[in-house]
Amino acid sequence: MKATDLSKPAGFARQIKAVLVSLLILGGLSAAQAAQDQGGLIAQGKYLAEIGDCVACHTPQGGRELSGGLPFETPFGIVYSTNITSDKETGIGYYSYRDFYRAMHEGISPNGNLYPAMPYTSYHLLTDADTRALYAYFMNTKPIRQENKASEISFPFNIRMGLKAWNMMNHEDSEFIANPAKSDSWNRGSYLVNVLGHCGECHTPRNTTFAMKPEAHFQGAVLDTFEASNITPQELNRQNWTHEDLKQLFTKGYSRKGTVFGGMYPVVYHSYSHLTEQDMRAVTSYLLDNEADIEELPLAFNGHDKDAPGYNIYMGYCAGCHGQDGEGRPNVAPALAGNATLDRSSVFNAVSLLLNGIVSQHYNSTTSFYAMPGYAEKFDDQQLTDLVNYMRITWTGQKADIRVTEVNDIRTNMKQALH
Amino acid sequence: MSQQIQMTVNDQQVGPVDVPEGLKMIEFLHEYLNLTGTKFGCGAGVCHACTVIVEGKNGVSEVVRTCISGVERFADKKVRTVEGHAKRNAAGEITELTPVQMAFLEHFSFQCGWCTSGFINETTALMERLAKAPVATANVEQVIEEALKEHICRCTGYVKYYQGVKDLILNTKGLTY
């Protein structure tokens, strides 16, 4: 009896235990599934954050990733990027999803309006699903305690209320609308380039209120000492960029048409080199407005004109690194034949690079390019004009019609930008 | 294709002489003038072993790397190589080294010596610059670092080079205040 009596509760207990175990297993499975889902979401957010190039702007020189403090010189003063790690006191760890969404889409943080140096004017087109993935990623970044630096914006631009007026004039939180006349791949490319890549922020000229001019989308704009190139399909196709050329440039930082420099270097390093194969093709298809393969035409080398005034300057100062016939040298200097910097209607970058030089660039353990010295003190405007004209007529299809006054204007602009 | 070139090297008029296009200055020094004291190092303008001095605008000397510079760059210019520093007698024998050369000797600055001519030229140009624009004594090390930092010594003899230059600058009147 005792055993029987005891067996009832024991059997009951076993049943309860079995139910509990089942519940626990189910709960465990559900928790595991949730963790897996969360892990997938975080990984997706990390990829999106890479394409958004958050690290480049939110990492101080020599500092820790995403901890902020990198200065941005604007016409109104200096703005410092903020700490966007998950630290709850100095970062964005205390943000609710709603806070994060508003910052990304509307440029409004819990502390007030953000300066448009944060490209919410591009990010606002993010889908809700991608915004959630980004939120999951940022909330799981390593928290770094680093106080934000106060901006050094002059009056009256330091009154953040003014940004409300700017947003009313220049910003509309709308959704990304796919172009039904284009393929899914093209639209994916447009989304990556215009939204996450926020390429228009540099490559589109701005109006008097410093908002992007939609009618001049991707037509190029001067940023301090460099000009973000014209990257319209018309210009890229005129220069015979192929899908492979762009892929090489975005993954390695260099292609047969030259290297990236200035602000595009961190974009490649932190961002576009991480694109998946499929997304890369989407990006190049969108930029070239062509999904088909493109024939690679021979690079221009029109031969030397030894009587041209720029010839001796090239041979004396440039040929040592770029080669006697502009063929370049591996791991030293890029080739000049078909070089995109020369083969543009604007000579701003060609002159700017000659004046200021380029810092050395390292792309991977086996590839780098040496620093190019600046020749601002070495060449006068006439010599620079002769040299640029010589290089353009020798290695591009452009005319040698640059005038001294144009070069002088660029030099003057450069002095103002640097001081 | 050739071209005519002329310049002054170590106070000697050179040319006009026909040289092939694309000729680098270091080849011109070695092959045409037999001035082999200027050393070919990396060949890409990085190590600065091939540095020579060129008299620049307003009498201010500049240093130029000859391995990446075409001979055209030196046309009609006054050039000094390491062979042009020491005093020589009528027979061409060296009678007196410059203070820079002596400083490096006294500090046993070099080992294999490949980078030495570059260091000598760079330091000489630095001394001439300081004679026109002296620096505060406290800044001497920084000035030396700025001037010599691009020069690569594979024997890693930097300390002795830098110490030699520092002693020289601090013991030469008019370079510091």
Side-chain angles (χ1 to χ4, degrees):
Chain A
M1 281 295 289
K2 279 184 182 175
T4 306
D5 289 341
L6 287 172
S7 70
K8 282 180 182 172
F12 182 69
R14 273 200 299 273
Q15 286 171 1
I16 292 293
K17 188 179 174 185
V19 169
L20 284 173
V21 167
S22 300
L23 285 172
L24 280 170
I25 289 170
L26 284 171
L29 280 175
S30 157
Q33 183 64 48
Q36 192 177 6
D37 289 349
Q38 180 71 1
L41 198 64
I42 293 168
Q44 185 195 345
K46 182 174 188 293
Y47 176 70
L48 296 172
E50 284 172 349
I51 308 310
D53 205 9
C54 311
V55 165
C57 291
H58 287 274
T59 304
Q61 199 82 34
R64 300 173 73 181
E65 277 194 4
L66 303 175
S67 64
L70 193 70
F72 290 84
E73 291 202 26
T74 75
F76 317 108
I78 300 174
V79 181
Y80 295 93
S81 62
T82 54
N83 183 344
I84 57 170
T85 68
S86 64
D87 186 65
K88 289 185 185 303
E89 291 179 22
T90 62
I92 62 171
Y94 68 94
Y95 274 29
S96 67
Y97 175 66
R98 179 66 187 151
D99 292 336
F100 185 76
Y101 183 94
R102 291 196 78 197
M104 295 293 284
H105 289 249
E106 299 167 30
I108 301 171
S109 80
N111 296 321
N113 286 80
L114 300 172
Y115 286 106
M118 191 286 204
Y120 60 88
T121 44
S122 295
Y123 291 160
H124 73 95
L125 294 164
L126 275 166
T127 64
D128 184 57
D130 281 352
T131 312
R132 285 185 187 280
L134 282 164
Y135 179 71
Y137 166 67
F138 279 110
M139 291 306 116
N140 284 280
T141 53
K142 185 175 183 179
I144 296 170
R145 185 174 175 77
Q146 181 169 297
E147 297 287 347
N148 289 322
K149 288 184 181 175
S151 60
E152 297 166 21
I153 297 289
S154 57
F155 180 81
F157 306 106
N158 59 346
I159 302 172
R160 292 202 178 217
M161 287 291 284
L163 290 164
K164 285 194 180 208
W166 190 92
N167 284 337
M168 284 175 70
M169 270 195 298
N170 299 309
H171 183 55
E172 182 187 352
D173 181 18
S174 52
E175 287 187 8
F176 176 78
I177 300 171
N179 183 341
K182 299 289 186 180
S183 69
D184 288 347
S185 174
W186 187 96
N187 278 300
R188 171 68 174 167
S190 171
Y191 181 73
L192 291 169
V193 167
N194 287 300
V195 185
L196 278 165
H198 61 282
C199 306
E201 302 284 344
C202 290
H203 289 274
T204 298
R206 291 176 182 270
N207 61 24
T208 48
T209 61
F210 291 93
M212 287 184 276
K213 288 181 182 172
E215 71 278 14
H217 187 240
F218 283 178
Q219 288 181 8
V222 172
L223 307 164
D224 293 336
T225 58
F226 294 124
E227 184 175 28
S229 310
N230 181 331
I231 55 168
T232 58
Q234 295 77 13
E235 177 67 4
L236 295 177
N237 285 305
R238 185 191 68 74
Q239 292 189 10
N240 185 227
W241 282 91
T242 66
H243 291 279
E244 187 61 24
D245 292 336
L246 287 176
K247 180 184 169 185
Q248 292 293 321
L249 192 79
F250 290 150
T251 52
K252 295 182 175 176
Y254 60 93
S255 75
R256 69 187 177 111
K257 302 182 79 64
T259 68
V260 299
F261 48 83
M264 196 59 197
Y265 178 54
V267 173
V268 167
Y269 188 77
H270 296 295
S271 176
Y272 268 30
S273 56
H274 298 279
L275 279 167
T276 64
E277 190 77 23
Q278 195 175 5
D279 278 349
M280 179 64 77
R281 184 70 180 198
V283 162
T284 61
S285 296
Y286 168 72
L287 287 172
L288 296 168
D289 195 18
N290 186 353
E291 297 191 51
D293 289 336
I294 296 169
E295 185 188 357
E296 186 181 296
L297 302 177
L299 298 170
F301 174 45
N302 306 318
H304 287 297
D305 174 6
K306 296 180 178 62
D307 296 325
Y311 173 75
N312 273 354
I313 301 175
Y314 178 79
M315 284 299 173
Y317 289 84
C318 316
C321 295
H322 289 284
Q324 190 175 335
D325 292 335
E327 68 273 22
R329 296 170 74 181
N331 281 330
V332 176
L336 297 178
N339 185 288
T341 301
L342 290 175
D343 188 13
R344 303 169 62 205
S345 53
S346 163
V347 288
F348 190 96
N349 279 350
V351 175
S352 170
L353 293 177
L354 284 166
L355 287 169
N356 304 311
I358 314 179
V359 297
S360 63
Q361 302 184 39
H362 306 278
Y363 296 101
N364 56 50
S365 55
T366 56
T367 306
S368 60
F369 289 91
Y370 289 163
M372 174 179 151
Y375 293 99
E377 303 298 322
K378 182 72 63 182
F379 297 144
D380 60 28
D381 291 342
Q382 184 63 57
Q383 288 172 307
L384 273 175
T385 307
D386 291 341
L387 179 57
V388 172
N389 274 331
Y390 185 77
M391 290 196 289
R392 277 160 68 87
I393 204 164
T394 307
W395 288 289
T396 78
Q398 300 281 341
K399 292 178 181 171
D401 56 358
I402 305 306
R403 289 166 293 146
V404 175
T405 49
E406 290 176 72
V407 171
N408 182 261
D409 285 347
I410 297 171
R411 189 195 285 268
T412 306
N413 288 341
M414 210 58 58
K415 280 181 185 167
Q416 288 170 351
L418 293 171
H419 294 100
Chain B
M1 289 291 289
S2 64
Q3 59 187 321
Q4 280 208 329
I5 208 94
Q6 63 179 0
M7 65 184 78
T8 304
V9 178
N10 299 333
D11 293 328
Q12 301 290 315
Q13 173 69 28
V14 173
V17 56
D18 283 336
V19 296
E21 68 176 51
L23 188 74
K24 295 291 173 287
M25 182 62 173
I26 193 161
E27 297 171 296
F28 183 66
L29 292 173
H30 286 191
E31 307 298 333
Y32 286 73
L33 307 184
N34 198 29
L35 294 174
T36 55
T38 301
K39 298 304 180 193
F40 184 88
C42 65
V46 172
C47 77
H48 289 234
C50 65
T51 300
V52 299
I53 302 173
V54 176
E55 193 171 294
K57 293 173 185 171
N58 307 321
V60 178
S61 297
E62 61 171 336
V63 288
V64 181
R65 287 159 287 172
T66 54
C67 76
I68 55 168
S69 302
V71 71
E72 296 88 347
R73 184 168 178 171
F74 301 83
D76 305 318
K77 299 270 175 65
K78 287 186 175 179
V79 181
R80 261 184 290 168
T81 70
V82 70
E83 291 91 345
H85 293 296
K87 286 182 181 172
R88 296 169 189 268
N89 61 21
E93 296 161 336
I94 292 174
T95 57
E96 185 182 341
L97 295 177
T98 66
V100 174
Q101 290 171 313
M102 284 305 298
F104 288 152
L105 272 176
E106 288 165 356
H107 284 80
F108 302 102
S109 297
F110 45 82
Q111 292 181 48
C112 82
W114 201 259
C115 64
T116 304
S117 66
F119 269 101
I120 285 175
N121 285 327
E122 189 81 58
T123 306
T124 302
L126 171 63
M127 298 283 286
E128 291 172 0
R129 199 163 68 241
L130 294 180
K132 293 186 177 183
V135 294
T137 304
N139 294 336
V140 165
E141 286 188 14
Q142 184 187 338
V143 167
I144 295 169
E145 170 72 23
E146 277 299 312
L148 300 182
K149 67 180 179 184
E150 302 290 349
H151 286 256
I152 294 172
C153 165
R154 277 294 172 219
C155 310
T156 67
Y158 302 103
V159 173
K160 291 175 180 176
Y161 273 123
Y162 283 44
Q163 191 60 51
V165 178
K166 184 182 175 185
D167 285 356
L168 181 61
I169 291 173
L170 292 177
N171 290 310
T172 304
K173 283 184 181 176
L175 303 187
T176 55
Y177 56 87

